Structure formats: C-alpha cells, structure tokens
C-alpha cells in the first residue's frame, strides 16, 4: 500500500501547473469577472488543464524519477491494486468531462439553496419560539402583579357559603405574605396593612383550622414569613427521641444493641450526652427488651432542657412539682446517681400509676411519690426546706400542637388567663419551699410547653416583683432570648436570660425555660395573694410620672369610694360583735382599720351569730303568739 501513497502525493503536484497560472495573469478578462463566475470558471479550467497536462507531467515525472517504485506503478501486470487505483483515478478524471458545466453549476446551486432555506427556516422557528417565550413571561409577570387583590366583602360572603377552595386559599396566603414582607412596594393603593393582616388571619384560620384567638396571638408574635414557617412546622411530627438511663447503661452500648435490632438512629446533638434520635425502626421502640429493662426512656428533646437547666447535684433535696409521667424525675435521679432525696408530686391521682411504673422500671430508689395540690406543698413539706425545685407548670400546650391538634380550636383567652393565674400561684409556692441559704442550691427552674407571653415572661416578671429572687443563665447554649417587651407589656430587663425554643428553628416542641436564684428567705412587703386594689394603694407617688397626675386622681377617687363602702360593711359586721359583748379596745380598733379585710373565720362567726339571733327572734315571736292564744 505504500506505493499508492506516493502516487497520491505526486498526483497533487499535477493540479497546479505553472503554465496555467501564467495564462491567468496575462488574461485581462479574469479580473473583471464576478466572484461566482470566477470560482466556477476556475474549477472548469482546472479540470481542462488537468486533462491536458496530467499525462505529460506524469510521463515526465516517471522518466525523471527512474526509480523502481515508479516503474512498478506504471507496469500493468505487476500490481493489480495499482491498476485498480489508476483506473479509478482515470474514471474520476473522466467523470467531469461526461457532465456539462452548466449541469454541475445548477446542481451545486440547488443544493446550497436547499441548505440555506432549511437553515433559514430553523432560524426563523427559533426566533419565533424566543419571542413567544418572552411574551409568555411578560404576560405571567403582568398577571402576577395584577392578579392579586384583596377580596371584597361580597366575595368573602360567597366563599363562606361555598366549601373552602384550598388551592385558592393557599395562593392568597402566599400573596399576602409576599405583600406584607415588602409592603411599601407591593401593596395596593388605598389598602392598609391592617386589612391585609385581617385577611391573612381569616385565611390561615380556615386553611389550617385555627380559631380566631390563637391565630391572632401567633400573628402578633411573629413576622409573616416566620409565622408561615412556624405553622407549617406544627403540621409535621417531631422526631422520636430516646434518653439513655445512665443508672443502667451507656449511650454507646445502647446504640449498638438497638442497631442490631434494626433501629436506625443517631446521637441527638452536641448539647446532650444521653439523647438519641430514631429515624425508623423494624421493631416497636416502646416494646423492646431494653425498654422493659429500663435502659432508655421515650422522651421528647424539649423535656431534656429544664432538667439540664436545673443541674441537680448529688445528696440534695429536690422537688418535682408536676412529675407525671416521670421522664424529668428519672432524669434528675440519674444525674444525682440515686443519692439525696426527690419528692415527685402529682396532683392528678390517675397519673400516679404511670409515674410509679416508670420509676420502678428505670431503677430509681431515691424518690418519694406524693399526691398534693402544688399550692399546698409548702404546708406539707415546709418552707425553706429544699435545695432545688423543678416546676414544669401545667399550661395551654400551644407549643405542642403537632402532638395535640385539638389545641387549635379548644383554647381561648380565658383558658390562657386561667393557666397564667395558676402558674403564678405555683411559682410562688416553689420559691417559698427553696432554702436561700443552701450551700449548693437555692435554684428554681420554671418551664412550660407553651409559647404564649402571658404564660411565660409575664409569670416570671410577677415572681420577680413578689419574691426576693433574680434570674440567672439557664446553662443552655442555644435557644432564643425571652421577650423584654411585647406590644404594650414591659418586663424586667433580666428576662433576656430566659430561653425560648421553637419547632421551626430548633426542630423540637415549643418550650420556655427560666432559672431563678433565691437571694433571701424573707418575703417582699408586697408579697402575698392580695387583690389588685390593695397593690394600687401601696404604689408610691414617686413612681408616677407628672403627665399621669389626672389619671392618678381619678384612680384615687375610685379607690376612696371603694374604701368607704368597705368601711361601712366592716362597721355592720363589727356591730354584731359589739352586741354580744365582745367589744374591742381602741388599740385593736386602730389595728382593725389597718386590716382591710376580716378573716374568713371572723366572717363565719358573725354569720352564725346573726343566724342565732334570727332564730331566737322567730322562736320568741312564736312563743308570744302561743301565750296570747292561751290567754284568750
């Protein structure tokens, strides 16, 4: 095959004869031709010159070369492949002679024109597609900008009569949130922010199933974007968590055993040394042999936080005021290594079974279970007798909506106020039981599974005013700071040390944790369950600003009227005592004036005496009537 390559190289030399170039240079008509004609003529002239000159040049080169390879190529009988190649080359040389020049030009022009037409058609189609896409995008932008508007009252009434259109509600919620996030640029003219917020409340309530009060409280607490994240997180369940019982095993050993049983789990987080997160399991987690043996406790991640903030030490006296079902109590016992003493109190007798069962299962031996009302515990256990108190107060449960969806519709403002009132009483009782002189303790931890301000910051602020306590850091590195100011409320600046936890931020139930340190066992002068009227009377005039003098005078007039009415009532009650001969000395009368309300025992005595006098009068009248009848 090598000789064939040499023949091709020599054939290329034939295509550019020097004589033809000279003729083209001397020809004056070549310069005046058009480019297209020149190209076609050049191709034709090259073909003709090749027909005339190729044999001569081939013979000349064959004679000059005189090599063996050339003779082999020119010989007919030596190499059949070479003959075939030469014949093919001859056929190729003769091919253009058979076709006319005009036919070749027309064919090439038609092919070029067809290709150009196809390419132009493709370019036109692409341009049309781009234009249509731009038009559609502009239409979509115009529709989005002009599409949303607040519904009128008539449209809202029509929607109420029809079943809820969930896609339309969802779209409208997104649009309102988008407008509220950039109200200056995206709001419609003539519509206020209040109208958008009101419509957002209605749509969220109907779409997610919240009542008017609860959705209004959430809207006041969070900005629109974060509010949507919070509500969406309430619709999803929280991850399942386990707490390792360090009284019986270690977390590493427990994880190995559960993994061998087909449980997919990981450590909870860096802030917990005993927590595990379960993603999925081939066996029921609450019925494994390890669970029955008390190696772990099914407990939410948020329930770890109050015990970690309490940080109980060994050989201390600790009270858990609301202990059932025992998750926090068993955690405290594990941290204390079954030393010291724990009072696990639970008010509801029906929940004592689960509490005692978990204590036995987890191997806790330093706990006493009791069934008292939290307000009565200071009378039972004594004042200033323990080192630490954990109060996981009963609350509205607005932080655990993912577990109990009935909270969406069952809670009202009255329920929140009742919970707040109970929580204030319980926290005062918890503070009274702690000994401020304790060497290692003197701490109270208050926690709720609620996100309402009235159940959290308002209760802590009340305790700061009523008792000699102060807030200290919780010892938790994460969590948001508590509210120092919320709408019209202004709380103590140290409430920044409290911690709030949200499901959309920390992937756990909504929770609140505060840690208090008792400074002294003495109570403040304003302490005690007194009505708000007496508290208002004790407020000094120095605390009132000059601009509020008119309001102060009005309040004083109201208080004076109430005081006069109460004084009249006291005179009537003391008159009954004077009739029976129990006249008090003037010094006692002065003390009586200082006391604003008589005790319950005195009131009951007065009532009994009045009843006796009435009975005596009735009996005397009956006896007189009988005597008159007998005389007649």
């Amino acid at each position: 095959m090598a000789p064939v390559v040499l023949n091709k190289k020599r054939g290329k030399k034939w295509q550019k004869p020097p004589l033809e170039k000279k003729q083209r240079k001397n020809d004056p008509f070549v310069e005046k031709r058009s480019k297209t004609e020149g190209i076609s003529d050049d191709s034709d002239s090259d073909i003709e010159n090749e027909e005339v000159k190729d044999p001569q040049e081939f013979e000349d080169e064959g004679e000059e070369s005189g090599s063996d390879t050339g003779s082999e190529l020119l010989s007919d009988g030596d190499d059949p492949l070479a003959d075939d190649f030469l014949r093919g080359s001859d056929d190729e040389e003769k091919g253009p002679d058979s076709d006319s020049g005009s036919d070749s030009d027309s064919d090439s022009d038609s092919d070029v024109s067809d290709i150009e037409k196809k390419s132009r058609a493709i370019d036109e189609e692409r341009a049309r597609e781009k234009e249509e896409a731009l038009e559609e995008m502009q239409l979509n932008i115009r529709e989005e900008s002009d599409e949303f508007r607040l519904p009128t009252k008539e449209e809202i009434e029509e929607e109420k009569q029809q079943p809820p259109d969930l896609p339309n509600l969802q779209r409208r919620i997104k649009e309102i949130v988008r407008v509220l996030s950039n109200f200056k640029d995206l709001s419609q003219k003539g519509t206020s922010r209040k109208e958008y917020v009101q419509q957002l409340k209605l749509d969220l309530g109907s779409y997610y199933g919240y009542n008017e009060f609860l959705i209004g409280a959430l809207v006041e607490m969070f900005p629109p974007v974060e509010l949507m994240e919070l509500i969406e997180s309430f619709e999803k369940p929280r991850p399942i968590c386990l707490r390792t019982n360090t009284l019986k095993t270690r977390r590493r050993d427990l994880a190995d055993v559960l993994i061998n049983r087909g449980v997919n789990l990981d450590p909870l987080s860096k802030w917990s040394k005993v927590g595990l997160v379960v993603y999925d399991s081939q066996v029921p987690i609450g019925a494994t042999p390890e669970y029955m043996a008390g190696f772990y406790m099914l407990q939410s991640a948020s329930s770890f936080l109050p015990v970690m903030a309490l940080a109980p030490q060994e050989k201390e006296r600790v009270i858990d005021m609301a202990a059932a079902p025992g998750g926090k109590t068993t955690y405290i016992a594990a941290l204390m290594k079954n030393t010291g003493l724990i009072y696990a109190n639970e008010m509801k007798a029906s929940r004592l079974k689960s509490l005692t069962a978990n204590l036995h299962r987890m191997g806790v031996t330093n706990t006493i279970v009791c069934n008292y009302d939290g307000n009565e515990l200071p009378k039972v256990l004594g004042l200033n007798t323990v080192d630490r108190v954990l109060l996981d107060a009963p609350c509205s449960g607005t932080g655990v909506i993912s577990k109990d969806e009935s909270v969406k519709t069952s809670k009202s403002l009255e329920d929140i106020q009742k919970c707040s009132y109970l929580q204030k009483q319980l926290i005062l009782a918890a503070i009274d039981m702690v000994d401020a002189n304790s060497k290692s303790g003197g701490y109270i931890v208050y926690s709720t599974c609620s996100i309402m301000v009235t159940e959290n910051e308002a209760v802590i602020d009340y305790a700061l005013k009523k008792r000699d306590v102060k807030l200290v850091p919780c010892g938790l590195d994460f969590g948001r700071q508590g509210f120092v100011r919320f709408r019209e409320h202004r709380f103590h600046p140290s409430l920044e040390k409290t911690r709030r936890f949200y499901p959309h931020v920390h992937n756990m139930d909504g929770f609140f944790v505060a840690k208090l340190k008792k400074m002294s066992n003495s109570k403040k002068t304003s302490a005690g369950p007194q009505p708000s009227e007496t508290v208002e009377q004790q407020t000094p005039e120095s605390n009132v600003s000059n601009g509020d003098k008119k309001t102060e005078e009005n309040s004083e007039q109201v208080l004076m009227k109430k005081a006069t009415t109460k004084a009249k009532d006291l005179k009537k009650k003391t008159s009954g005592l004077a009739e029976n001969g129990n006249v008090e000395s003037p010094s006692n009368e002065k003390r009586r004036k200082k006391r604003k309300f008589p005790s319950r025992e005195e009131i009951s005595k007065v009532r009994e005496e009045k009843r006796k006098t009435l009975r005596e009068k009735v009996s005397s009248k009956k006896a007189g009537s009988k005597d008159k009848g007998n005389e007649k």
Side-chain angles (χ1 to χ4, degrees):
M1 295 300 289
V4 177
V5 175
L6 291 171
N7 192 11
K8 285 183 180 179
K9 290 181 180 179
R10 288 175 181 174
K12 289 180 181 179
K13 292 181 182 180
W14 317 334
Q15 295 176 3
K16 295 181 181 180
L19 295 173
E20 185 65 24
K21 291 180 180 179
K22 291 180 181 179
Q23 290 176 1
R24 287 180 183 176
K25 289 180 180 179
N26 295 326
D27 192 358
F29 296 100
V30 175
E31 297 177 357
K32 295 181 181 180
R33 291 177 183 175
S34 62
K35 293 181 180 180
T36 56
E37 293 177 354
I39 292 168
S40 62
D41 293 337
D42 290 341
S43 62
D44 297 335
S45 61
D46 290 337
I47 294 167
E48 292 174 357
N49 290 327
E50 286 177 0
E51 292 175 359
V52 177
K53 299 294 181 181
D54 284 344
Q56 294 178 358
E57 289 181 359
F58 182 76
E59 291 175 358
D60 294 338
E61 289 176 359
E63 292 175 356
E64 291 175 358
S65 62
S67 62
D68 296 335
T69 58
S71 63
E72 291 175 358
L73 291 169
L74 292 172
S75 64
D76 295 331
D78 293 338
D79 194 356
L81 295 173
D83 293 337
D84 294 336
F85 177 76
L86 291 173
R87 287 174 186 173
S89 64
D90 293 338
D91 294 336
E92 289 175 359
E93 291 174 358
K94 292 177 183 178
D97 294 335
S98 62
D99 296 334
S100 63
S102 62
D103 293 337
S104 62
D105 292 339
S106 62
D107 293 337
S108 61
D109 292 339
S110 62
D111 294 337
V112 172
S113 63
D114 292 339
I115 293 168
E116 288 179 353
K117 287 179 181 178
K118 291 179 180 178
S119 64
R120 287 173 185 171
I122 293 168
D123 293 337
E124 288 176 357
E125 288 179 0
R126 290 178 179 175
R128 288 174 185 172
E129 289 177 357
K130 288 182 180 179
E131 290 177 358
E132 290 176 357
L134 290 172
E135 289 177 357
E136 287 179 0
M137 185 174 68
Q138 291 176 357
L139 287 172
N140 292 331
I141 292 169
R142 290 173 184 172
E143 287 177 359
E144 287 180 358
S145 59
D146 299 333
E147 180 183 12
F148 177 71
R149 58 180 181 81
L150 287 176
T152 60
K153 295 181 180 179
E154 297 176 354
E155 293 176 352
I156 293 171
E157 291 178 356
E158 290 179 359
E159 288 181 359
K160 289 180 179 179
Q161 295 176 357
Q162 298 176 357
D165 186 4
L166 296 181
N168 186 26
L169 285 174
Q170 188 177 14
R171 182 187 59 79
R172 192 160 64 195
I173 288 168
K174 290 180 179 179
E175 290 294 334
I176 292 174
V177 170
R178 184 176 65 87
V179 171
L180 291 175
S181 60
N182 189 7
F183 187 75
K184 183 183 285 186
D185 299 331
L186 301 178
S187 62
Q188 293 179 352
K189 293 182 179 179
T191 55
S192 62
R193 189 181 186 90
K194 186 177 180 181
E195 294 176 0
Y196 282 100
V197 173
Q198 189 65 27
Q199 187 62 42
L200 180 63
K201 290 179 183 179
L202 295 174
D203 292 341
L204 289 174
S206 58
Y207 188 81
Y208 292 99
Y210 288 85
N211 60 11
E212 185 178 355
F213 161 73
L214 189 56
I215 198 65
L218 294 176
V219 168
E220 291 177 353
M221 289 180 64
F222 299 97
V225 178
E226 188 176 2
L227 173 66
M228 292 305 302
E229 294 176 358
L230 177 69
I231 292 175
E232 288 292 338
S233 65
F234 280 147
E235 301 299 317
K236 301 174 184 177
R238 302 275 75 76
I240 300 171
C241 296
L242 310 178
R243 180 182 59 80
T244 307
N245 184 13
T246 55
L247 295 174
K248 293 188 175 184
T249 185
R250 295 184 301 174
R251 183 170 69 171
R252 183 182 300 174
D253 299 337
L254 177 63
D256 293 338
V257 173
L258 292 177
I259 288 169
N260 293 331
R261 291 192 181 277
V263 181
N264 185 12
L265 51 82
D266 277 329
L268 177 59
S269 184
K270 294 180 180 179
W271 53 267
S272 176
K273 297 180 181 179
V274 295
L276 292 170
V277 182
V278 178
Y279 299 111
D280 56 1
S281 176
Q282 298 178 2
V283 295
I285 300 172
T288 60
E290 289 76 22
Y291 179 81
M292 298 299 181
F295 286 3
Y296 64 89
M297 182 84 175
L298 283 171
Q299 193 171 1
S300 62
S302 58
S303 298
F304 293 24
L305 304 174
V307 180
M308 294 173 64
L310 186 65
Q313 304 298 318
E314 296 181 16
K315 299 180 181 179
E316 284 186 342
R317 292 164 63 90
V318 181
I319 298 176
D320 188 358
M321 294 183 67
K328 299 179 182 66
T329 307
T330 54
Y331 194 9
I332 293 170
L335 293 176
M336 295 173 65
K337 298 179 181 179
N338 261 340
T339 62
L341 183 62
I342 301 173
Y343 294 99
N345 181 65
E346 176 57 40
M347 187 182 72
K348 295 181 180 179
S350 60
R351 304 185 70 185
L352 292 175
K353 293 181 180 179
S354 61
L355 174 59
T356 54
N358 284 321
L359 290 174
H360 288 301
R361 183 175 62 85
M362 301 292 281
V364 177
T365 58
N366 65 340
T367 302
I368 298 172
V369 179
C370 52
N371 181 20
Y372 290 102
D373 186 0
N375 295 323
E376 297 178 359
L377 279 178
K379 300 176 183 178
V380 177
L381 302 177
L383 300 174
N384 311 321
T385 54
V386 297
D387 299 311
R388 297 170 194 262
V389 174
L390 173 62
L391 174 59
D392 187 20
C395 61
S396 61
T398 53
V400 290
I401 295 175
S402 58
K403 294 181 180 178
D404 185 10
E405 292 189 354
S406 64
V407 178
K408 293 180 179 180
T409 55
S410 61
K411 301 302 176 183
S412 62
L413 179 60
E414 295 178 356
D415 297 329
I416 303 298
Q417 290 176 348
K418 288 179 181 178
C419 290
S420 178
Y421 179 74
L422 176 61
Q423 290 156 0
K424 288 176 182 177
Q425 290 180 331
L426 291 175
I427 195 170
L428 293 182
I431 293 169
D432 292 338
M433 287 187 289
V434 173
D435 185 11
N437 299 322
S438 174
K439 294 180 180 179
S440 60
Y443 294 101
I444 305 98
V445 170
Y446 174 83
S447 63
T448 63
C449 56
S450 173
I451 58 176
M452 293 294 163
V453 176
T454 53
E455 295 182 79
N456 298 325
E457 284 85 355
V459 175
I460 299 298
D461 189 67
Y462 176 82
L464 293 174
K465 293 177 181 177
K466 295 295 183 180
R467 296 291 186 269
D468 189 10
V469 292
K470 70 173 183 178
L471 278 167
V472 294
C474 297
L476 303 172
D477 298 333
F478 63 105
R480 291 190 179 179
Q481 296 180 355
F483 288 102
V484 177
R485 57 178 64 188
F486 177 72
R487 297 181 71 82
E488 70 274 10
H489 302 287
R490 296 295 179 268
F491 302 119
H492 197 273
S494 62
L495 278 165
E496 292 179 351
K497 296 178 182 178
T498 61
R499 287 291 175 267
R500 280 177 162 267
F501 302 92
Y502 299 112
H504 67 286
V505 179
H506 308 101
N507 197 19
M508 61 177 67
D509 295 328
F511 222 76
F512 175 82
V513 180
K515 189 174 183 179
L516 296 165
K517 169 70 174 174
K518 190 172 182 181
M519 304 307 295
S520 66
N521 292 326
S522 62
K523 298 180 182 179
K524 291 184 178 180
T525 56
S526 61
Q530 296 178 353
S532 60
E533 296 172 0
T534 59
V535 174
E536 289 176 358
Q537 287 179 359
Q538 291 176 358
T539 55
E541 295 180 356
S542 59
N543 293 333
V544 182
S545 61
N546 294 326
D548 296 332
K549 286 184 179 179
K550 293 181 180 179
T551 57
E552 184 183 1
E553 291 175 357
N554 295 329
S555 62
E556 287 178 357
Q557 291 176 0
V558 174
L559 291 173
M560 288 295 291
K561 290 180 181 178
K562 291 181 179 180
T564 53
T565 54
K566 288 177 183 178
K568 291 179 181 178
D569 295 335
L570 288 171
K571 285 180 181 178
K572 290 179 182 179
K573 291 175 182 179
T574 53
S575 63
L577 293 172
E579 289 175 357
N580 295 324
N582 297 327
V583 182
E584 296 179 352
S585 61
S587 61
N588 291 330
E589 289 178 358
K590 291 180 181 179
R591 291 178 185 174
R592 176 67 68 183
K593 288 180 181 178
K594 289 181 180 179
R595 291 180 64 184
K596 294 172 185 178
F597 297 102
S599 63
R600 292 180 179 178
E601 296 176 356
E602 293 176 352
I603 293 171
S604 61
K605 287 179 181 179
V606 170
R607 288 176 179 174
E608 288 177 359
E609 290 173 356
K610 284 184 178 180
R611 287 171 184 171
K612 288 180 181 179
T613 54
L614 289 171
R615 287 172 185 172
E616 290 175 357
K617 289 180 180 179
V618 171
S619 61
S620 63
K621 286 181 180 178
K622 288 180 179 180
S625 61
K626 287 180 181 180
D627 294 336
K628 288 180 181 179
N630 293 327
E631 289 176 357
K632 290 179 180 178

